Amino acid sequence: MERIGDALHTDKYQITMMYAHWKNGSHQRKRAFDLYFRHLPFGNGYAVFAGLERAVQYLENLRFTEEDIAFLARQPEQYDPDFLEMLRTFRFQGDVYAVPEGTIVFPNEPLLRLEGNVMELQLVETALLNFIGYQTLVATKAARIRTVAGNDLVMEFGTRRAQESTAAIWGARAAYLAGFDATSNVRAGERFGIPIIGTHSHSWVQDFENELEAFRAFARAFPEQSVLLVDTYDTLRSGLPHAIQVGLELKRQGKRLAGIRLDSGDLAYLSKQARKMLDEAGLTDTRIIASSDLDEDTILNLKAQGARIDSWGIGTKLITAYDQPALGAVYKMVAKMEQGQWVPTIKISSNPEKVTTPGRKNVYRIVDKVTGKAQADLITHVDERVDEKTPLVLFDPVHTYRKKRVTHYQAIELLQPVIRNGERTAELPSLEEIRRYHREQRSLFWEEYLRLLNPEEYPVDLSNKLWKMKQELIQQIYQTFVEPKNKRD
């Protein structure tokens, strides 16, 4: 049974840091953390942000139950009873700023900014990375598949391959918000209002004396919605002829055969032959559905071969994000409150990509008012405001000579408050609203950024103030820790 606010859905070191802060008397210190990712998945040009609804539900319902506290009391750390007593009344009371679900997002820009006491912000790290990382990964994969499928019907069929039931349910939601049309998961349909769809299995056919009898029995049960699986024995010599026979019987009754499904074999060849046979029989409105370990690459190849498939059932390679099973999202402290003032913090690494961008930040999407297309995302310090009447000079934060002057633009602020003092600021959008918003997001970008192969790199820039702050902090760290060590050596 899923417990949305499960406080033990975390790593052990989060609990140990909570306890250490409590023992140190530092647990109420105010801090700010960013959640973001460093690399785009699947070689894609963008990612689709998903998982916010589950994250908000988790934070709103975060509780330590009596069973949780009893379990912690049995651990070898021998937590102080007063600490365990404090956990009984623990609630998340911080602030959360997030980009809207369905937003097209890019590396190194904050998807969430959390502000609160250090103890609560440490506890929630693991769960938020879990929820956001997984759903963003699936939504991005789904968007890639939708791009290739065009206007075809695309269905999520991954439940039996998902890593447990909650992954199946929330994965179905992530796929739907990114453009899928339906799911086979009944619970996801009931919970989120996603259209559900299903046909029958090979065992249905095997359970009858012959294939024709199996198809007739199924058509009697579903005279308007029958989709017949035709590859149990021999697709072209048995399955299709029997499906056509049943289709013609339905037609004489004023009904129709909704579709046939191909689940194995040479899908390009079989679909072309199936379309020819169906059309010659007068069943021109019977759809051809394909399944069988499909993904965007397979669909692209099948279309290039002239496959006559108009509906796609996508399972394993979507729900498991088969070719990249982790987003690699990270959660880093960016500021701390000292004497009533926010002080930026930075993490230095010998790996340049792991050096964090300090300070509490906003993200603006800079959209050309003439073309209606996004030109860049600009990360600013939270105290900065972008004046749309003033030209912007955007520059690459690594290769600073790469600059672009922007005029006649709209600056859309992406990070919006969703929780203040532990309370939701407003109702989250419905899943249908998120789907519409995601479609609008796609229209903001040139095709060069959205294409699957060799996409153009979309600019994500730092404001001049933020860039200078980062360089100054790097220099301070170097002078404090590196130069003295070099002198000693």
Side-chain angles (χ1 to χ4, degrees):
M1 176 70 71
E2 179 187 11
R3 226 187 84 202
I4 292 177
D6 185 357
L8 298 191
H9 182 51
T10 191
D11 288 310
K12 176 69 174 286
Y13 87 146
Q14 311 291 12
I15 301 292
T16 59
M17 285 189 288
M18 288 176 69
Y19 184 67
H21 273 298
W22 183 82
K23 289 290 285 186
N24 192 48
S26 57
H27 58 293
Q28 293 298 332
R29 291 176 180 173
K30 196 165 186 181
R31 301 290 183 256
F33 282 74
D34 283 348
L35 188 152
Y36 59 98
F37 61 91
R38 297 189 180 110
H39 300 287
L40 287 164
F42 316 117
N44 210 41
Y46 64 94
V48 179
F49 176 59
L52 180 61
E53 180 175 313
R54 191 175 189 201
V56 169
Q57 290 176 359
Y58 160 78
L59 294 171
E60 286 181 320
N61 293 280
L62 189 57
R63 305 286 188 275
F64 286 89
T65 67
E66 289 301 317
E67 292 79 7
D68 295 340
I69 293 168
F71 173 76
L72 293 175
R74 297 193 298 270
Q75 299 309 300
E77 288 79 10
Q78 297 184 330
Y79 299 112
D80 189 307
D82 288 343
F83 171 74
L84 298 177
E85 184 63 30
M86 181 270 297
L87 295 183
R88 285 189 166 86
T89 58
F90 179 91
R91 302 290 185 272
F92 181 80
Q93 298 177 335
D95 300 339
V96 179
Y97 300 80
V99 303
E101 272 199 281
T103 300
I104 287 179
V105 292
F106 302 92
N108 298 312
E109 54 189 25
L111 307 179
L112 270 70
R113 184 178 83 241
L114 287 86
E115 299 173 9
N117 69 61
V118 66
M119 187 169 65
E120 64 185 352
L121 296 189
Q122 290 288 182
L123 175 63
V124 303
E125 173 184 2
T126 301
L128 294 181
L129 288 172
N130 176 209
F131 302 151
I132 302 274
Y134 172 67
Q135 291 191 50
T136 296
L137 201 64
V138 174
T140 304
K141 185 75 170 174
R144 285 172 60 82
I145 294 168
R146 168 47 71 195
T147 296
V148 172
N151 294 323
D152 296 347
L153 184 71
V154 186
M155 301 160 287
E156 184 277 313
F157 280 3
T159 296
R160 63 187 59 193
R161 301 286 186 258
Q163 287 89 348
E164 254 293 345
S165 62
T166 52
I169 294 168
W170 289 97
R173 179 185 181 277
Y176 186 68
L177 75 83
F180 269 50
D181 298 294
T183 179
S184 64
N185 189 296
V186 180
R187 180 60 70 195
E190 181 271 337
R191 184 164 182 172
F192 301 121
I194 304 172
I196 56 175
I197 195 166
T199 60
H200 65 75
S201 68
H202 294 104
S203 63
W204 171 267
V205 177
Q206 293 171 289
D207 208 32
F208 288 78
E209 289 298 320
N210 59 69
E211 192 173 47
L212 181 58
E213 182 185 348
F215 287 174
R216 281 173 170 161
F218 196 76
R220 284 195 297 271
F222 302 100
E224 298 284 1
Q225 301 172 1
S226 287
V227 175
L228 302 177
L229 181 59
V230 296
D231 69 337
T232 303
Y233 301 124
D234 187 300
T235 301
L236 297 181
R237 289 186 290 186
S238 176
L240 262 166
H242 287 145
I244 288 170
Q245 187 171 343
V246 171
L248 293 173
E249 292 170 359
L250 286 170
K251 192 173 184 178
R252 287 193 290 269
Q253 300 166 24
K255 312 294 184 183
R256 62 180 287 268
L257 177 63
I260 58 108
R261 180 160 71 98
L262 302 170
D263 191 47
S264 62
D266 185 333
L267 297 180
Y269 172 74
L270 291 174
S271 67
K272 286 186 279 190
Q273 293 301 309
R275 184 74 274 158
K276 180 181 178 183
M277 294 168 66
L278 289 166
D279 289 351
E280 287 177 349
L283 302 177
T284 56
D285 59 351
T286 296
R287 302 176 72 93
I288 298 177
I289 301 166
S291 48
S292 184
D293 283 338
L294 300 174
D295 64 5
E296 66 272 34
D297 297 323
T298 313
I299 296 171
L300 186 64
N301 285 326
L302 286 168
K303 283 181 172 286
Q305 296 170 56
R308 299 297 304 277
I309 298 163
D310 46 35
S311 302
W312 308 87
I314 317 295
T316 303
K317 293 186 177 180
L318 168 66
I319 206 70
T320 66
Y322 193 82
D323 42 348
Q324 186 175 328
L327 179 64
V330 295
Y331 180 88
K332 300 297 180 184
M333 184 190 292
V334 294
K336 55 186 179 180
M337 180 76 77
E338 292 187 349
Q339 299 179 340
Q341 300 293 322
W342 282 107
V343 178
T345 64
I346 191 170
K347 173 188 176 294
I348 300 294
S349 172
S350 57
N351 186 344
E353 70 180 15
K354 292 189 175 183
V355 177
T356 60
T357 300
R360 296 155 63 237
K361 297 176 282 293
N362 281 332
V363 183
Y364 290 90
R365 181 145 293 162
I366 308 303
V367 178
D368 189 301
K369 286 186 175 180
V370 177
T371 65
K373 299 295 184 181
Q375 299 200 58
D377 282 2
L378 179 66
I379 306 175
T380 71
H381 190 271
V382 74
D383 293 334
E384 294 183 87
R385 289 292 176 266
V386 178
D387 182 0
E388 295 177 353
K389 298 177 182 178
T390 304
L392 273 178
V393 177
L394 303 173
F395 63 93
D396 186 286
V398 178
H399 307 290
T400 54
Y401 64 88
R402 294 167 59 181
K403 297 182 179 181
K404 177 166 61 174
R405 188 173 186 270
V406 181
T407 59
H408 305 294
Y409 63 88
Q410 179 184 10
I412 302 172
E413 190 171 352
L414 295 185
L415 283 171
Q416 300 295 327
V418 293
I419 293 179
R420 287 194 187 276
N421 300 316
E423 300 289 336
R424 195 182 303 198
T425 57
E427 284 301 310
L428 295 175
S430 70
L431 189 52
E432 292 299 331
E433 289 171 331
I434 295 171
R435 275 168 61 83
R436 288 195 293 272
Y437 170 75
H438 174 66
R439 287 195 295 270
E440 293 167 2
Q441 279 283 293
R442 293 183 67 86
S443 69
L444 284 177
F445 292 86
W446 296 107
E447 179 59 34
E448 288 79 2
Y449 299 121
L450 302 181
R451 66 191 179 205
L452 266 62
L453 299 177
N454 300 316
E456 183 70 18
E457 182 180 353
Y458 179 78
V460 177
D461 301 330
L462 303 182
S463 70
N464 190 52
K465 177 178 179 177
L466 196 58
W467 186 85
K468 286 182 177 178
M469 178 194 296
K470 184 173 183 177
Q471 303 311 309
E472 289 169 359
L473 282 177
I474 291 172
Q475 186 62 29
Q476 287 177 21
I477 296 291
Y478 182 81
Q479 292 172 348
T480 303
F481 296 104
V482 179
E483 286 185 349
K485 182 179 184 303
N486 290 341
K487 289 177 182 179
R488 290 195 301 270
D489 293 343

